[in-house]
Amino acid sequence: MSSRGHALFTVQTALPLLSDGASVILTSSVVGSKGFAGRSVYSATKAALRSFARTWTSDLKKRRIRVNVVSPGATDTPGLRDLSKTDGDGLATLDRDRVPLGRVGRPDDVASAVSFLASDDSSYITGTELFVDGGLAQV
């Protein structure tokens, strides 16, 4: 099953349990906006999450439930290290030329964005996609 299928069923199951004014944060990827070769199906499932956020924002407005998307770029995790078959130093140079900030993201970078979207500090933000990718998708 695709990641969007899991997100769909998870949100459908959670909605009756969520309080009015709650926050739903979907995790997508920079590949939902960029056209990387060999990633068409994965990219399409990530773009679908962005569409879910837009439509669910409209569907849930009476309950004031905010729905947003976090879209990380390459993030230094064991999974990416396995995928790239590099050590920590090699991983740090993986996207240096493509990422305006010149580094691969850290898990804390993504966690901080999610924490912000879950907090009252983002109470007037909904239906948006927050890229945590060092500028890759924007430049």
Side-chain angles (χ1 to χ4, degrees), residues 15-31:
L15 279 176
L17 307 173
L18 294 178
S19 301
D20 289 356
S23 178
V24 173
I25 303 161
L26 305 174
T27 304
S28 184
S29 170
V30 67
V31 302

Side-chain angles (χ1 to χ4, degrees), residues 79-134:
L80 183 62
R81 287 173 186 241
D82 288 346
L83 184 64
S84 66
K85 305 241 188 282
T86 66
D87 61 11
D89 291 333
L91 184 60
T93 62
L94 181 68
D95 284 331
R96 182 173 295 164
D97 293 333
R98 291 191 300 166
V99 177
L101 289 182
R103 69 174 176 84
V104 171
R106 297 180 299 262
D108 285 350
D109 296 326
V110 179
S112 293
V114 170
S115 180
F116 167 70
L117 289 174
S119 76
D120 289 339
D121 290 339
S122 67
S123 64
Y124 198 60
I125 299 172
T126 191
T128 196
E129 182 173 16
L130 178 57
F131 290 91
V132 185
D133 65 352

